[in-house]
Amino acid sequence: MAPPSERPSDPGSERARVLGDARAAAGGAGEAGGVVWKLSEPGRQLDANVVRLGPGARVAPHVESDLDVLVLVLGGSGELAGGDAPEPLAEGSLAWLPHGARRSLTAGGAGLTYLTVHRRRPGMTIGHRPPG
């Protein structure tokens, strides 16, 4: 997605605005994978990414212990595993991945492009070692 043409200079000037075109980000569903867009607005409470998996590529089975994740398929097809049986994913599929649930994604023959949205993880901080 294209970045916005203007960004506010301070958090007090935040405003609702269009960030880009999700269809454009999904346009290369069969190409090599990776994050092709991410929400990077300062002061945000959410994280969002557009991820592209190449044909047959996979997000390995894992458990996200802290965050629920919403997935919207923008292009291509694939499969979501994590329940009793794998579920098909196609353009427009909307999936909820609750925290604590085991899940994996596998792209189909044309690849898979999807948007993820979840609560923002707190930044890393430097703490003090407990005495002892």
Side-chain angles (χ1 to χ4, degrees), residues 49-130:
N49 300 287
V50 173
V51 179
R52 183 175 299 138
L53 298 178
R58 184 172 192 214
V59 174
H62 66 285
V63 173
E64 168 51 64
S65 59
D66 297 325
L67 301 172
D68 288 0
V69 179
L70 186 69
V71 174
L72 174 63
V73 176
L74 301 173
S77 65
E79 192 172 80
L80 168 65
D84 294 334
E87 296 186 62
L89 295 171
E91 186 173 336
S93 293
L94 186 60
W96 173 50
L97 312 178
H99 70 281
R102 187 166 184 77
R103 79 284 296 263
S104 69
L105 295 169
T106 303
L112 178 67
T113 302
Y114 58 94
L115 169 73
T116 65
V117 180
H118 56 80
R119 187 186 52 188
R120 187 174 182 196
R121 292 180 190 274
M124 293 182 66
T125 60
I126 298 174
H128 297 284
R129 181 177 291 179

Side-chain angles (χ1 to χ4, degrees), residues 19-37:
L19 296 176
D21 184 344
R23 292 174 300 177
E31 297 172 11
V35 174
V36 297
W37 177 86

